[in-house]
Amino acid sequence: MSKIAQGIHKVLYFRKLGEAADGARLVFQTEHSKSYSRDREKKDTKDGAVSRANTLEDEVSISALQSTKDPTFKMLEDSILDDFPLEMWEVDLSTKSVDDSGTEPVTKFDAEYRQGYITEWEPTSPAEGDAEVEGTFVSEGKRQKGQVTLPEGHIQTLSYVFHDLLSDDVADDGLAPNEPAV
């Protein structure tokens, strides 16, 4: 049976293209949306109309509350000011899988990967309420699907994810104490 997808389970990560560093999450994300569009050019012929597809446009709109200390916010802002490309991952935390074929089990999540540019970045600071930011990421080329491993410690900062009811999938995130139960 199908279930309704929960937006809270989908989180964006970013990295400066070509940088040898873990992808970083923009903190306090409130929403993001993906938009695909493709114009079709129509040409009348003596045999009837024919159409040709133009390039696919793939945009991701981003909304977040501003943090007082978030290096990812600064990197995204710098990327539009200095015009450098980024990598972006949309990670689906509801798709946790564990590969235990190696010496250490590896937890993976389904993800979409894009390369592109921030084309809009608008921080707002209202007199009442929280400082927010809205931006637009435009993909170059076609997004790719695969699986990712989150950087060490990121699961704990993302509340918690789905756990199986079997004993080999112990909840170690969310409300779980930092110290093991005595």
Side-chain angles (χ1 to χ4, degrees), residues 48-178:
V50 294
S51 67
R52 175 181 330 176
N54 286 333
T55 308
L56 176 69
E57 294 181 29
D58 176 357
E59 292 184 354
V60 179
S61 297
I62 306 157
S63 297
L65 298 177
Q66 290 183 41
S67 168
T68 57
K69 293 181 182 179
D70 182 13
T72 306
F73 177 93
K74 182 173 177 2
M75 176 192 59
L76 295 174
E77 187 171 61
D78 288 349
S79 76
I80 191 167
L81 295 172
D82 298 335
D83 196 32
F84 59 78
L86 299 167
E87 297 172 279
M88 183 185 78
W89 295 262
E90 179 193 53
V91 180
D92 186 346
L93 300 174
S94 70
T95 62
K96 176 182 175 182
S97 64
V98 179
D99 177 5
D100 54 4
S101 62
T103 56
E104 293 279 325
V106 177
T107 303
K108 298 258 186 193
F109 299 90
D110 290 349
E112 291 183 2
Y113 171 76
R114 291 169 168 77
Q115 292 182 1
Y117 293 88
I118 296 289
T119 59
E120 295 177 275
W121 193 250
E122 184 178 353
T124 59
S125 301
E128 294 184 22
D130 299 319
E132 298 178 344
V133 65
E134 291 186 2
T136 304
F137 178 93
V138 175
S139 300
E140 295 281 326
K142 187 177 176 188
R143 62 112 167 96
Q144 303 295 312
K145 289 185 174 188
Q147 289 195 312
V148 295
T149 305
L150 293 185
E152 190 67 33
H154 277 227
I155 293 292
Q156 289 77 12
T157 65
L158 294 170
S159 185
Y160 60 88
V161 297
F162 182 85
H163 289 279
D164 201 340
L165 56 90
L166 300 177
S167 63
D168 62 350
D169 188 10
V170 177
D172 58 358
D173 53 3
L175 296 174
N178 291 340

Side-chain angles (χ1 to χ4, degrees), residues 22-63:
D22 289 343
R25 178 175 57 89
L26 176 64
V27 299
F28 303 137
Q29 294 174 37
T30 56
E31 182 177 351
H32 73 274
S33 63
K34 298 180 288 190
S35 171
Y36 305 106
S37 65
R38 181 189 311 263
D39 290 332
R40 293 200 65 87
E41 192 174 310
K42 189 171 151 183
K43 180 76 175 174
D44 289 325
T45 72
K46 294 177 182 180
D47 296 318
V50 294
S51 67
R52 175 181 330 176
N54 286 333
T55 308
L56 176 69
E57 294 181 29
D58 176 357
E59 292 184 354
V60 179
S61 297
I62 306 157
S63 297

